[in-house]
Amino acid sequence: MSRYRNRVAKGCQSYEKTVIEYSDRVIEEVSFEKYAGFSADFFKIPIFIENDVNTVCIGEMFLRKKADVKNLVYISLGSGLGSAIVIDGRVHRGVNFLAGEIGALVLDDPEMLDFKNLSAKAVERKINLKAIKEKFGIEIKKELVVPEALKQEITEYVAKYLAIIIYNYVHILDVDEFVISGIIPEFLGEEFYQYLKFFVRRLLKTGIKITPPVNSNAGLVGAAVMVFDNTIMNTVLK
């Protein structure tokens, strides 16, 4: 996976365009040219690369009216599991742009873990599309129709894991609003959100707001907002 960093050297006009590339245990900062195989100046226009969930979250904030969003966690579950963190109205990315990478979380008993291969026990591998296919024998698609009993079984299974993740998030960040999106929650429907809220209420005594995204096109909106903020708004505010 990768993140894009556009750094400005202090006191001069030189720009350093680099990519944060990481796997399970290795984090490396490489030049954009080395990563992409061509210069970032090739397109003759500014290039912005952002984490997909962060981009959708930016769009969600814009559509909700950014001033109304102070602290929020946006979770997406599909082929992978990731999240975006909003603290005091701003997306938090972290030192190595790893903030919100909850798919790498390990929820197992540490006595049973191989510390040289923790990624094998990552929670993402238990509830993503591939895991659902292996455990329940179905390949989730929007048009897929399955028996209600099977859908409920999948709903309970996924909701329990996400409830624990939300429980941990609340105790670390003390946030009270979560947006849950992705092809799996979308497929499971409204009942999934009801189950998730039920399990969260069993774990937490504080009021937690859990909702689906406000718009399915929030990612496109977020990308547009990101470009606008980093070009036109930066020019206006100079």
Side-chain angles (χ1 to χ4, degrees):
M1 302 182 75
S2 62
R3 301 290 183 276
Y4 181 69
R5 191 203 301 268
N6 189 356
R7 235 193 267 156
V8 183
K10 291 184 179 180
C12 66
Q13 295 299 314
S14 63
Y15 289 83
E16 181 185 357
K17 301 178 178 67
T18 60
V19 175
I20 304 295
E21 187 173 19
Y22 60 92
S23 56
D24 293 334
R25 287 182 289 176
V26 179
I27 300 174
E28 181 183 9
E29 185 168 3
V30 300
S31 69
F32 182 91
E33 286 76 12
K34 179 181 177 181
Y35 179 80
F38 58 86
S39 170
D41 299 324
F42 174 80
F43 294 105
K44 308 299 182 183
I45 58 174
I47 299 173
F48 302 97
I49 301 176
E50 177 60 279
N51 171 284
D52 54 350
V53 186
N54 283 350
T55 303
V56 177
C57 184
I58 291 168
E60 181 85 10
M61 293 169 63
F62 179 84
L63 293 170
R64 285 175 175 234
K65 297 183 179 178
K66 185 175 179 179
D68 297 336
V69 181
K70 298 300 182 185
N71 302 293
L72 174 146
V73 173
Y74 190 108
I75 296 175
S76 179
L77 175 60
S79 58
L81 171 65
S83 69
I85 302 169
V86 177
I87 301 295
D88 294 330
R90 299 179 65 86
V91 174
H92 177 70
R93 294 176 175 82
V95 175
N96 291 302
F97 292 74
L98 293 174
E101 292 293 343
I102 55 174
L105 292 178
V106 177
L107 305 181
D108 293 41
D109 182 348
E111 297 296 330
M112 306 296 291
L113 294 174
D114 176 6
F115 279 77
K116 294 181 179 180
N117 190 27
L118 278 181
S119 62
K121 296 295 184 179
V123 66
E124 175 179 280
R125 299 192 178 192
K126 299 178 184 294
I127 58 174
N128 65 5
L129 286 172
K130 183 178 178 181
I132 297 299
K133 182 178 181 180
E134 292 175 351
K135 184 175 180 63
F136 297 99
I138 66 167
E139 188 171 351
I140 291 179
K141 299 177 181 178
K142 289 183 179 180
E143 66 275 9
L144 181 67
V145 177
V146 299
E148 284 303 315
L150 177 57
K151 180 177 281 192
Q152 182 174 336
E153 187 179 355
I154 299 172
T155 293
E156 291 189 39
Y157 174 78
V158 173
K160 286 178 180 177
Y161 274 101
L162 287 181
I164 294 171
I165 290 172
I166 290 173
Y167 172 88
N168 289 328
Y169 249 136
V170 169
H171 283 86
I172 295 171
L173 298 178
D174 195 21
V175 294
D176 62 357
E177 186 168 3
F178 292 81
V179 177
I180 313 297
S181 72
I183 188 171
I184 294 177
E186 184 179 339
F187 168 75
L188 296 174
E190 178 58 30
E191 188 175 16
F192 163 77
Y193 291 93
Q194 297 305 318
Y195 267 94
L196 180 56
K197 292 174 185 178
F198 170 75
F199 289 133
V200 169
R201 283 196 297 268
R202 291 177 61 183
L203 294 172
L204 295 165
K205 302 302 180 183
T206 56
I208 302 297
K209 184 178 180 181
I210 299 172
T211 64
V214 296
N215 191 293
S216 60
N217 293 317
L220 294 174
V221 174
V225 170
M226 181 176 65
V227 172
F228 181 85
D229 286 347
N230 284 280
T231 53
I232 297 175
M233 282 303 296
N234 280 353
T235 302
V236 171
L237 294 175
K238 281 183 178 179

